[in-house]
């Protein structure tokens, strides 16, 4: 059964959910298509798994279109063609002679193939077996992708909960779990707090760091932490370059006042970094959002790094030193408060109790 067409979505009175790593482009698209009521859900990736239960449409980069092979997605509108491009700071262009580096780079850019950004709707391909979609009356569980999967499997084994095709050898993001009434999707841990808070999932396993990042933006969020799963323990720290003459926040604050610095704080944790700066009374500051490899920003493009670290080894290799630990983070089971007081709450609380017993062994 196919989802509604673009025309039906445009003319309908229902709420259209559009998920994407490109939330600003998605919002522009929804306005251009004149959707009457719509929500934009920003993602860190894996957009292709969200339809049909968690999004009506997704906007994603498809490259050569292989995302549609052996999938239940179909493109319904091309938004733009996109390829690699060379960008520059306008002030640098005006004040510096960049001709040598620009001339050397222009030729190589022509060899990079473009990728396409396409708006996607879900469709069941008649030649394939339909996936096990998540009905609204089931408990919708989000499990993490990436390196956290082995820890989740270990905990489920301890809890004697069977799960198949997780991790998946063929990239399937719908594993099957041996709990009646529970359906699973595999998404990014960074996306889980917002998706659970919005009711797209009832329960999820994510990191306490991402829970705090979410709550720093939405203090009244219906997100509830149920179980500390005690794995993936990291510290969220503030770090500076070794050449900075400060070993703690008091020293850095004093140095910033003396030199009149407007501190630049680089982090994937934008709201945590902003809260940290305000609580430490850093005066004038600027948050530099990053999407990874944040340690490379210091000292040229940022003065402080807010990052997670397990041993501190990566920071040391980049000549950085920790001046404060903000908090420790482990994986946790979170749930939507509304789901907890619904008929699903019995299953969710039973799952929480089983996992709590497993991690206590």
């Amino acid at each position: 059964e196919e989802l509604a067409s673009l025309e039906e979505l445009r003319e309908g009175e229902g709420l259209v959910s559009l998920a994407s790593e490109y939330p600003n482009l998605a919002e522009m698209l929804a306005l251009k298509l004149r959707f009457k009521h719509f929500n934009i859900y920003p993602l860190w990736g894996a957009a292709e798994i969200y339809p049909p239960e968690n999004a009506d449409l997704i906007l994603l980069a498809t490259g050569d279109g292989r995302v549609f092979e052996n999938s239940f997605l179909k493109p319904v509108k091309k938004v733009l063609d996109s390829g690699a491009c060379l960008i520059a700071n306008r002030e640098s262009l005006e004040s510096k002679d960049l001709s040598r580096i620009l001339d050397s780079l222009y030729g190589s850019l022509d060899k990079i193939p473009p990728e396409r950004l396409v708006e996607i709707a879900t469709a069941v391909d008649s030649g394939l077996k339909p996936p096990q979609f998540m009905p609204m009356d089931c408990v919708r569980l989000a499990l993490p992708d990436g390196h956290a999967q082995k820890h989740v499997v270990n905990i489920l084994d301890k809890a004697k909960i069977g799960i198949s095709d997780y991790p998946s050898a063929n990239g399937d993001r719908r594993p099957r779990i041996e709990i009646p009434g529970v359906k699973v999707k595999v998404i990014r841990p960074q996306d889980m707090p917002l998706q659970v808070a919005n009711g797209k999932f009832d329960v999820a396993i994510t990191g306490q760091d991402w829970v705090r990042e979410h709550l720093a933006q939405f203090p009244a969020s219906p997100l509830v932490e149920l179980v500390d799963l005690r794995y993936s323990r990291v510290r969220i720290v503030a770090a500076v370059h070794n050449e900075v003459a400060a070993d703690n926040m008091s020293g850095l604050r004093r140095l910033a006042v003396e030199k009149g610095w407007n501190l630049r704080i680089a982090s994937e944790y934008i709201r945590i970094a902003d809260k940290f700066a305000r609580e430490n009374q850093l005066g004038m500051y600027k948050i530099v959002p990053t999407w990874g490899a944040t340690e490379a920003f210091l000292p040229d493009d940022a003065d402080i790094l807010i990052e997670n670290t397990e041993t501190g080894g990566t920071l040391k290799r980049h000549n950085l030193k920790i001046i404060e630990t903000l908090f420790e983070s482990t994986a946790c089971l979170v749930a939507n408060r509304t789901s907890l007081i619904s008929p699903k709450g019995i299953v969710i609380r039973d799952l929480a109790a089983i996992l709590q017993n497993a991690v206590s062994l």
Side-chain angles (χ1 to χ4, degrees):
E1 180 182 357
E2 295 189 2
L3 286 182
S5 67
L6 282 182
E7 188 63 31
E8 291 171 323
L9 290 172
R10 182 186 296 116
E11 298 301 324
E13 296 296 329
L15 185 67
V16 178
S17 296
L18 209 167
S20 182
E21 291 180 88
Y22 309 95
N24 295 325
L25 278 177
E27 182 177 12
M28 290 174 59
L29 177 65
L31 292 171
K32 183 178 180 180
L33 293 175
R34 298 181 181 178
F35 290 151
K36 296 177 182 177
H37 309 285
F38 64 87
N39 278 340
I40 304 297
Y41 293 101
L43 304 176
W44 284 67
E48 63 276 6
I49 192 61
Y50 282 80
E53 308 95 328
N54 310 118
D56 299 305
L57 299 170
I58 58 174
L59 183 70
L60 81 167
T62 61
D64 57 7
R66 290 182 181 177
V67 68
F68 306 120
E69 295 178 4
N70 300 318
S71 78
F72 298 85
L73 302 174
K74 68 174 182 181
V76 293
K77 183 177 177 62
K78 184 174 79 171
V79 177
L80 58 88
D81 287 320
S82 174
C85 62
L86 184 66
I87 62 174
N89 180 280
R90 183 180 292 109
E91 293 181 359
S92 297
L93 281 175
E94 295 173 352
S95 62
K96 300 178 181 179
D97 182 5
L98 303 179
S99 57
R100 290 182 62 186
I101 187 170
L102 292 179
D103 291 342
S104 66
L105 289 172
Y106 279 145
S108 61
L109 290 178
D110 296 334
K111 301 176 183 178
I112 302 177
E115 66 177 10
R116 293 171 54 194
L117 287 180
V118 181
E119 180 192 2
I120 305 300
T122 300
V124 175
D125 195 335
S126 59
L128 299 171
K129 182 180 178 181
Q132 298 297 312
F133 293 146
M134 305 170 76
M136 290 298 295
D137 58 353
C138 76
V139 173
R140 296 159 296 167
L141 168 64
L143 293 183
D145 60 8
H147 69 276
Q149 291 182 335
K150 62 181 181 181
H151 299 291
V152 174
V153 171
N154 183 46
I155 290 174
L156 293 178
D157 285 345
K158 287 184 178 180
K160 294 181 170 53
I161 297 174
I163 189 168
S164 59
D165 204 25
Y166 180 79
S168 175
N170 60 5
D172 184 17
R173 287 179 174 264
R174 293 176 183 268
R176 288 156 293 285
I177 195 166
E178 295 178 2
I179 304 178
V182 176
K183 297 292 184 181
V184 180
K185 274 190 181 182
V186 178
I187 65 173
R188 298 287 174 88
Q190 299 96 316
D191 290 323
M192 291 180 181
L194 182 61
Q195 296 301 322
V196 171
N198 284 328
K200 298 297 183 180
F201 293 88
D202 301 298
V203 63
I205 293 178
T206 186
Q208 291 172 334
D209 49 351
W210 297 113
V211 172
R212 288 207 185 193
E213 171 72 4
H214 171 76
L215 293 177
Q217 183 179 11
F218 305 106
S221 171
L223 190 73
V224 180
E225 181 179 334
L226 299 180
V227 182
D228 181 353
L229 297 175
R230 303 182 187 178
Y231 76 81
S232 293
R233 186 176 299 277
V234 295
R235 290 182 295 156
I236 310 303
V237 302
V240 297
H241 197 268
N242 284 334
E243 294 181 356
V244 175
D247 296 316
N248 51 47
M249 281 306 303
S250 297
L252 181 64
R253 185 164 49 245
R254 184 168 54 252
L255 192 64
V257 171
E258 291 174 358
K259 296 184 176 294
W261 288 345
N262 291 335
L263 292 172
R264 302 163 298 171
I265 307 172
S267 184
E268 291 180 277
Y269 305 106
I270 300 171
R271 282 88 191 182
I272 290 175
D274 184 59
K275 186 171 183 285
F276 170 80
R278 288 185 279 107
E279 289 179 345
N280 282 276
Q281 301 177 354
L282 294 184
M284 297 292 292
Y285 64 90
K286 178 182 180 181
I287 304 297
V288 182
T290 69
W291 285 69
T294 311
E295 61 275 357
F297 281 70
L298 274 64
D300 305 296
D301 306 303
D303 307 298
I304 308 175
L305 167 70
I306 305 295
E307 180 64 296
N308 67 69
T309 181
E310 187 173 358
T311 65
T314 301
L315 298 177
K316 289 179 181 178
R317 287 194 297 273
H318 285 82
N319 295 315
L320 305 179
K321 59 183 177 181
I322 297 171
I323 58 173
E324 184 164 321
T325 296
L326 281 66
F327 59 90
E328 285 193 343
S329 170
T330 54
C332 62
L333 183 73
V334 297
N336 180 288
R337 186 178 290 112
T338 301
S339 297
L340 280 173
I341 62 176
S342 74
K344 301 180 184 182
I346 296 175
V347 176
I348 295 173
R349 293 184 189 280
D350 285 347
L351 173 62
I354 293 170
L355 293 179
Q356 181 67 72
N357 289 335
V359 298
S360 299
L361 294 177

